[in-house]
Amino acid sequence: MFEMMALPYETTALVPYVTEETINYHYGKHYKTYVDNLNKLITGTEFENLPLIEIIKKTYGKPEYQGIFNNAGQVFNHEFYWKSMSPQPTEPSEELKNRIVQDFGSMEKLLEAMKNAAVSQFGSGWAWLVDNNGKLEVMKTANADTPVAHGIKPLLNIDVWEHAYYLDYQNRRADYLDEFLKHLVNWKFASE
Ligand code: MN
C-alpha cells in the first residue's frame, strides 16, 4: 500500500504563484485519488508489493495494465512535482550550473526550452529537465507518461494538466509557467 507523501511545505507557502485553493484541490483531491486508485488496483495482484518505479516499468505500454500505469505514473509525477517547487529561492549547485551551460548554452536557454516544452504539450502532461545518459535534456510527456518508464532520470518537472493552474491562471498556461520558472523552481532538489 502506498501512502500520500507529506507536502514539503505549508499549503499557503507558494502563494501568490500557486494559491492554497489550488494546492487543496491538487494535493488533497487529484493526487490523493491517484494514490487511492493505485492501491485499489494493485491489491491482490503481482504488483502489490513492488516499488513504485518497478510498477511503472512493468506496466508501461501494456493495454491490460493501463489503469495501473496511469495511476502509478501520476503518483510518481506528482511526488516529483511537490519536490520540484520551493517556497524559498534556491540556486543550482556549481556542478549543475556547469552542466546546464554545457548542454543548453545558458540558464536562460534552459528556461526557454522548459517553457517551450510545457507550452507545446498538447492537452494534459508534463515538462521535464532530465539526465539522459549523462546529457541534460528537456522533454515533455503526455498524460501519466514519465521519464522513469523509459529509464531516463528526471531532475525537475512541471505539471501542465489544467488542474495544476486553471483556478489561478484559467487558460493562461504561459503565465503559470513564467511564474513557476521565475519563482518556484527547486534548484536544490534538481541538483541532488
Ligand atoms: Mn496534477
Side-chain angles (χ1 to χ4, degrees):
M1 293 287 278
F2 291 95
E3 297 201 359
M4 287 177 77
M5 173 191 135
L7 202 60
Y9 30 75
E10 299 295 316
T11 55
T12 53
L14 307 176
V15 173
Y17 314 113
V18 177
T19 60
E20 182 175 29
E21 190 184 18
T22 288
I23 291 288
N24 284 342
Y25 276 99
H26 199 181
Y27 175 85
K29 297 194 188 291
H30 291 278
Y31 165 59
K32 179 178 190 298
T33 301
Y34 295 127
V35 174
D36 290 346
N37 284 344
L38 177 62
N39 283 330
K40 267 183 229 156
L41 289 167
I42 62 174
T43 299
T45 73
E46 64 194 282
F47 304 108
E48 193 166 11
N49 296 311
L50 293 182
L52 188 58
I53 289 179
E54 285 305 303
I55 296 176
I56 289 170
K57 286 182 172 168
K58 283 181 192 292
T59 56
Y60 175 71
K62 300 197 174 115
E64 68 272 32
Y65 297 132
Q66 185 76 49
I68 295 178
F69 176 80
N70 285 343
N71 286 285
Q74 285 295 76
V75 169
F76 178 87
N77 291 349
H78 280 89
E79 292 179 354
F80 211 83
Y81 176 69
W82 310 133
K83 292 185 276 193
S84 288
M85 294 186 284
S86 167
Q88 293 87 29
T90 56
E91 286 283 323
S93 66
E94 284 306 309
E95 187 197 351
L96 181 58
K97 264 189 217 167
N98 291 338
R99 291 186 61 190
I100 287 170
V101 171
Q102 186 184 315
D103 293 337
F104 293 96
S106 65
M107 176 60 95
E108 290 67 36
K109 290 226 169 83
L110 162 62
L111 295 176
E112 202 183 303
M114 283 289 280
K115 185 176 171 184
N116 286 340
V119 167
S120 65
Q121 171 54 40
F122 185 75
S124 295
W126 301 83
W128 303 83
L129 172 63
V130 299
D131 181 334
N132 187 3
N133 273 319
K135 189 171 188 295
L136 295 185
E137 293 174 354
V138 164
M139 71 185 281
K140 53 187 175 181
T141 60
N143 301 318
D145 196 9
T146 181
V148 296
H150 311 276
I152 296 171
K153 184 180 172 191
L155 276 67
L156 278 177
N157 73 0
I158 310 177
D159 191 343
V160 295
W161 283 58
E162 282 188 345
H163 66 224
Y165 61 87
Y166 212 84
L167 291 172
D168 301 336
Y169 300 90
Q170 294 77 49
N171 61 326
R172 293 174 284 116
R173 185 189 285 188
D175 290 355
Y176 156 66
L177 296 169
D178 285 338
E179 302 295 0
F180 188 105
L181 292 167
K182 196 167 172 192
H183 300 288
L184 297 179
V185 175
N186 190 343
W187 291 110
K188 190 163 173 279
F189 172 62
S191 303
E192 286 160 6

